Amino acid sequence: MEFFQQVHKSLLQGSKDTIQRELMNNIDWNQRLICIKGFRSVGKTTFLLDYIKTHHPDSNDVLYLNLNNFYFTKRKISSFADEFAKRGGKVLLLDQIQKYPDWSADLRKCLDEIPDLKIIFTSSPVLRITEDNPDLEGMASIYHLEGLSFREYLNHETGSNFRTYTLEEILNNHIEIAQKVVDEIRPLAYFDEYLRHGYFPYYIHDPNFYIDKLLKNINLALEIDVPYINQIEFKYLPKLRKLLHIIASETPFTPNVSKLASSVETSRATIMNYLKYLKHARLINLLYENGGSDDDQMKKPDKVYMQNTNLLNAIAPNNFDKATVRQTFFYNQVGYVCELAKSPVADFCVNGKYKFNVGGRKLKPEKGIYAASDVIEVGEGNKIPLWLFGFLY
């Protein structure tokens, strides 16, 4: 126990200045079991440490544990948690829960037998925490830590403190909001760099090797996270990698499943499964005409996008054209807080009622359709700057 307490203190003392993530303000921290999901190196560990520094500074009843530690190959989490609680512990933070084989049953045992203990844990985005899991169904509150919003990136780069806005606030007051931002900084001066290298927080400390690290994390997700959860044999990984490259090279596109199956040399059913695996891994986004989660869909998606523009730039830089990047950015930023669906008359339908076309400065709004326009600082009427949709979180 003392060893882990010393590691805990060392991590807090050695942590560098970080970007304050909006998710910190959106979580109900009174819940007993909280899961933070996120892509590799999106900042989950830093997020836990920031939580400790914000909510429990200089407290001895909080403990951070990384389950990568070999100690937990011989000791159960529930046993450790019981000892921690008997020593006065109140909050246990478990990093990388997927590294621990019996995580589900052991977390449930903690809930049942240690009523005064709160547990916050992180996991890979592909881990099924409550889905088909009777141990934790209805017990765990799940949150997703995404990459930096354009607002979070701007705040760090400029030292500003711009707040978030709801979609309705942007639709109704976008001219006033955009003008306030433009009066302080020039957002378009930062936009292109964000689209290429600003989504994952590690750009701050290692900008020259950002793409290399991103490619490494993509491959680790494909080689470890996706196969481990979905029980894919190693010999099939080249097919998964090939599919991802095809998607990055052609996105956004309406998938021809038979053609994809032929290109990857697998079955149509396997392609449909692979698309869901890549979506769960936070590598791609799927758009359906009726909206909703891809878990609820029986048919193929209407369109496929990369999950964020940095992934697109890393995997298929030759497809980093303006039209593709604009739509990918819009889906990524708006889709985090709203439900998106394909519209028969526009690029996107948001929350079942707002229709958007996404384009450049010459894009004009149509009747009943908003225009999300790039390369403008301030909009007019139903024409809204594209960059402003990066202020939703």
Side-chain angles (χ1 to χ4, degrees), residues 242-253 284 304-306 311-320 324:
K242 186 174 184 179
L243 177 61
L244 182 60
H245 186 256
I246 291 172
I247 292 171
S249 301
E250 299 183 12
T251 187
F253 70 106
I284 65 172
V304 181
Y305 298 82
M306 293 304 293
L311 291 175
L312 176 64
N313 184 46
I315 298 173
N318 291 336
N319 193 29
F320 201 79
T324 300

Side-chain angles (χ1 to χ4, degrees), residues 174-234:
H174 65 87
I175 297 175
E176 177 186 351
I177 296 169
Q179 192 61 59
K180 284 182 179 179
V181 175
V182 171
D183 286 344
E184 187 171 333
I185 55 107
R186 309 306 292 265
L188 293 178
Y190 301 88
F191 196 45
D192 286 347
E193 186 62 22
Y194 167 80
L195 294 173
R196 290 182 180 274
H197 306 108
Y199 188 69
F200 293 100
Y202 51 82
Y203 85 87
I204 300 169
H205 305 299
D206 206 5
N208 293 330
F209 293 94
Y210 179 83
I211 294 297
D212 287 342
K213 183 168 183 176
L214 178 52
L215 286 171
K216 177 183 177 182
N217 286 328
I218 293 168
N219 279 297
L220 287 172
L222 291 174
E223 295 167 5
I224 298 176
D225 299 343
V226 174
Y228 175 74
I229 300 301
N230 299 293
Q231 298 181 334
I232 300 175
E233 293 184 45
F234 189 79

Side-chain angles (χ1 to χ4, degrees), residues 139-377:
M139 299 290 182
S141 299
I142 302 172
Y143 299 87
H144 290 272
L145 181 64
E146 298 291 358
L148 299 177
S149 68
F150 183 51
R151 180 194 67 88
E152 290 173 322
Y153 175 84
L154 270 182
N155 280 344
H156 179 266
E157 290 296 298
T158 66
S160 303
N161 190 29
F162 299 120
R163 73 173 183 89
T164 61
Y165 295 92
T166 65
L167 179 64
E168 283 70 23
E169 285 178 312
I170 290 177
L171 297 183
N172 296 326
N173 304 304
H174 65 87
I175 297 175
E176 177 186 351
I177 296 169
Q179 192 61 59
K180 284 182 179 179
V181 175
V182 171
D183 286 344
E184 187 171 333
I185 55 107
R186 309 306 292 265
L188 293 178
Y190 301 88
F191 196 45
D192 286 347
E193 186 62 22
Y194 167 80
L195 294 173
R196 290 182 180 274
H197 306 108
Y199 188 69
F200 293 100
Y202 51 82
Y203 85 87
I204 300 169
H205 305 299
D206 206 5
N208 293 330
F209 293 94
Y210 179 83
I211 294 297
D212 287 342
K213 183 168 183 176
L214 178 52
L215 286 171
K216 177 183 177 182
N217 286 328
I218 293 168
N219 279 297
L220 287 172
L222 291 174
E223 295 167 5
I224 298 176
D225 299 343
V226 174
Y228 175 74
I229 300 301
N230 299 293
Q231 298 181 334
I232 300 175
E233 293 184 45
F234 189 79
K235 64 182 180 180
Y236 296 119
L237 293 186
K239 297 181 185 296
L240 197 61
R241 296 181 80 250
K242 186 174 184 179
L243 177 61
L244 182 60
H245 186 256
I246 291 172
I247 292 171
S249 301
E250 299 183 12
T251 187
F253 70 106
T254 300
N256 182 324
V257 177
S258 296
K259 184 178 178 181
L260 287 174
S262 177
S263 298
V264 179
E265 299 179 337
T266 189
S267 68
R268 285 173 49 89
T270 298
I271 289 294
M272 293 291 287
N273 285 331
Y274 281 4
L275 289 174
K276 290 185 178 182
Y277 299 162
L278 294 173
K279 167 69 162 54
H280 292 159
R282 289 298 200 266
L283 289 168
I284 65 172
N285 278 324
L286 304 177
L287 190 69
Y288 296 90
E289 189 165 348
N290 60 338
S293 167
D294 53 283
D295 290 323
D296 303 326
Q297 306 294 339
M298 299 299 292
K299 63 186 184 72
K300 71 175 185 178
D302 290 278
K303 272 199 172 183
V304 181
Y305 298 82
M306 293 304 293
Q307 203 274 342
N308 63 76
T309 58
N310 287 195
L311 291 175
L312 176 64
N313 184 46
I315 298 173
N318 291 336
N319 193 29
F320 201 79
D321 64 84
K322 291 181 179 179
T324 300
V325 170
R326 289 163 179 164
Q327 290 199 20
T328 303
F329 169 81
F330 185 89
Y331 193 133
N332 172 264
Q333 300 284 282
V334 179
Y336 180 54
V337 296
C338 302
E339 182 177 294
L340 267 61
K342 185 179 182 295
S343 167
V345 297
D347 292 328
F348 298 97
C349 178
V350 180
N351 288 344
K353 55 183 177 179
Y354 302 118
K355 296 176 177 62
F356 290 87
N357 282 324
V358 181
R361 71 168 75 210
K362 294 182 180 180
L363 180 66
K364 295 181 180 180
E366 302 175 24
K367 185 177 180 180
I369 302 176
Y370 292 93
S373 299
D374 195 9
V375 205
I376 63 170
E377 288 189 326

Side-chain angles (χ1 to χ4, degrees), residues 64-83:
Y64 166 89
L65 298 175
N66 192 319
L67 296 180
N68 253 336
N69 195 294
F70 285 93
Y71 178 78
F72 293 101
T73 62
K74 64 178 182 179
R75 187 171 188 186
K76 288 184 172 293
I77 291 174
S78 54
S79 170
F80 187 96
D82 181 63
E83 179 186 347

Side-chain angles (χ1 to χ4, degrees), residues 44-177:
K44 299 186 293 296
T45 299
T46 300
F47 188 79
L48 293 184
L49 297 177
D50 282 348
Y51 163 80
I52 296 171
K53 288 186 285 187
T54 301
H55 294 270
H56 302 277
D58 304 318
S59 176
N60 293 322
D61 58 7
V62 177
L63 185 63
Y64 166 89
L65 298 175
N66 192 319
L67 296 180
N68 253 336
N69 195 294
F70 285 93
Y71 178 78
F72 293 101
T73 62
K74 64 178 182 179
R75 187 171 188 186
K76 288 184 172 293
I77 291 174
S78 54
S79 170
F80 187 96
D82 181 63
E83 179 186 347
F84 175 64
K86 287 175 179 175
R87 290 171 175 248
K90 298 294 184 183
V91 182
L92 192 60
L93 298 100
L94 306 174
D95 206 359
Q96 303 192 79
I97 197 74
Q98 72 275 5
K99 301 288 185 178
Y100 182 80
D102 297 322
W103 58 270
S104 179
D106 236 20
L107 288 178
R108 180 57 186 261
K109 187 174 183 181
C110 291
L111 287 177
D112 292 341
E113 298 181 4
I114 318 173
D116 294 329
L117 183 67
K118 179 194 301 182
I119 296 177
I120 304 167
F121 65 98
T122 69
S123 85
S124 160
V126 301
L127 196 65
R128 299 182 181 97
I129 304 299
T130 57
E131 301 90 337
D132 302 320
N133 184 356
D135 288 329
L136 298 182
E137 187 175 2
M139 299 290 182
S141 299
I142 302 172
Y143 299 87
H144 290 272
L145 181 64
E146 298 291 358
L148 299 177
S149 68
F150 183 51
R151 180 194 67 88
E152 290 173 322
Y153 175 84
L154 270 182
N155 280 344
H156 179 266
E157 290 296 298
T158 66
S160 303
N161 190 29
F162 299 120
R163 73 173 183 89
T164 61
Y165 295 92
T166 65
L167 179 64
E168 283 70 23
E169 285 178 312
I170 290 177
L171 297 183
N172 296 326
N173 304 304
H174 65 87
I175 297 175
E176 177 186 351
I177 296 169

